[in-house]
Amino acid sequence: LVPDERRGLTELNGEGEAVVDALRAARHAADAAGLALNGQLFLMGYSQGGYATLAAQREIEAGHAAEFRITASAPSAGAYDLSGTVADDFLSGRVPPNPYLYPYVLSAYVPIYRFAPDLGSLLRAPYDSTVPPLYDGTHDSGVINAALPARPSEALRPEVLEAFRTDPEHPIRRALRENDLYRGWVPQSRTRFHHCAGDLDVLPANTRVAYETFVAAGAKQVELETRLPALDHPSCAVLALLFTKQWFDELRQ
């Protein structure tokens, strides 16, 4: 994370800036092709894409509002509350559908925050040697799931797990907190969250925390879609995107 004194915010692993760059590239491509744009900007994404959508919205509203005006934003099923909902779930002992997601976060954070020499140093045997090579981009989730215990917290070294559990200022907790997406800002654009109640991969509490925090902070244009059925994470994706498209179509000029 790189502090941004100009805006008093912290960049979130470049996700917001990456979307801004993509938007500029798309605008340039449209100009080159002679395609006229109507000036409306819609943001949408699901799961990791939902997180990236909210990160992009924050980035645009905080630093690029003069360049881009967001018509509507629809973050869906994102892990916005990493330090709370996600961390508590990890420590709960629940058996998640995809345990690979939790070491995946650690594998991404270690080289950025450097709270450990490498992912393996956080894991107990035999996972310290068998799991890190699987996060090389060539192994799918099923392979990694099979290499992990059903409860992903059991892959951590006992002393690492205990420190994470008991120390509110543990480096991993601080890293998660810095990547929570509801802290330090209030959405100004029309925003509608989507999250199915049966999601066991990214718990719906992530969305509730973000939504309720924004509303309590005075957000006037933030909504929570309540018509979605209690589907699981994969099954909800198409439906959430269809609900989003319906909403966007109503706003299109």
Side-chain angles (χ1 to χ4, degrees), residues 79-91 102 105 176 202 206:
Y80 320 115
D81 185 26
L82 290 162
S83 72
T85 300
V86 175
D88 291 346
D89 182 44
F90 176 77
L91 293 170
Y102 299 87
V105 173
L176 292 171
V202 183
N206 282 280

Side-chain angles (χ1 to χ4, degrees), residues 11-133:
E11 298 299 342
L12 292 171
N13 299 338
E15 284 181 278
E17 287 190 335
V19 174
V20 170
D21 289 341
L23 291 172
R24 289 171 176 156
R27 186 172 57 194
H28 177 77
D31 290 343
L35 300 176
L37 302 177
N38 70 356
Q40 289 188 293
L41 174 59
F42 298 93
L43 302 176
M44 64 185 296
Y46 189 85
S47 193
Q48 177 61 25
Y51 184 96
T53 295
L54 198 58
Q57 180 177 348
R58 193 184 80 161
E59 174 68 22
I60 291 169
E61 290 184 358
H64 306 281
E67 183 179 2
F68 298 104
R69 182 177 180 182
I70 300 171
T71 306
S73 174
S76 299
Y80 320 115
D81 185 26
L82 290 162
S83 72
T85 300
V86 175
D88 291 346
D89 182 44
F90 176 77
L91 293 170
S92 72
R94 180 179 72 95
V95 177
N98 288 289
Y100 86 93
L101 292 170
Y102 299 87
Y104 202 178
V105 173
L106 289 177
S107 71
Y109 281 10
V110 164
I112 297 171
Y113 294 99
R114 300 177 183 176
F115 47 68
D118 50 45
L119 175 60
S121 65
L122 299 172
L123 306 180
R124 67 179 177 87
Y127 308 111
D128 57 343
S129 60
T130 58
V131 169

Side-chain angles (χ1 to χ4, degrees), residues 61-210:
E61 290 184 358
H64 306 281
E67 183 179 2
F68 298 104
R69 182 177 180 182
I70 300 171
T71 306
S73 174
S76 299
Y80 320 115
D81 185 26
L82 290 162
S83 72
T85 300
V86 175
D88 291 346
D89 182 44
F90 176 77
L91 293 170
S92 72
R94 180 179 72 95
V95 177
N98 288 289
Y100 86 93
L101 292 170
Y102 299 87
Y104 202 178
V105 173
L106 289 177
S107 71
Y109 281 10
V110 164
I112 297 171
Y113 294 99
R114 300 177 183 176
F115 47 68
D118 50 45
L119 175 60
S121 65
L122 299 172
L123 306 180
R124 67 179 177 87
Y127 308 111
D128 57 343
S129 60
T130 58
V131 169
L134 301 179
Y135 288 98
D136 63 355
T138 68
H139 297 83
D140 65 26
S141 58
V143 172
I144 306 176
N145 283 338
L148 286 165
R151 295 177 175 83
S153 61
E154 295 176 0
L156 289 183
R157 292 168 51 192
E159 64 271 24
V160 173
L161 179 60
E162 182 62 17
F164 177 65
R165 186 188 303 277
T166 59
D167 183 1
E169 293 303 318
H170 190 278
I172 298 177
R173 284 194 178 273
R174 291 202 303 268
L176 292 171
R177 196 157 53 236
E178 288 181 12
N179 285 277
D180 288 338
L181 271 180
Y182 58 89
R183 298 180 186 275
W185 73 296
V186 179
Q188 302 300 309
S189 311
R190 295 192 66 167
T191 307
R192 182 175 291 180
F193 287 100
H194 299 81
H195 211 138
C196 283
D199 194 334
L200 297 177
D201 283 296
V202 183
L203 297 183
N206 282 280
T207 292
R208 289 198 301 272
V209 168

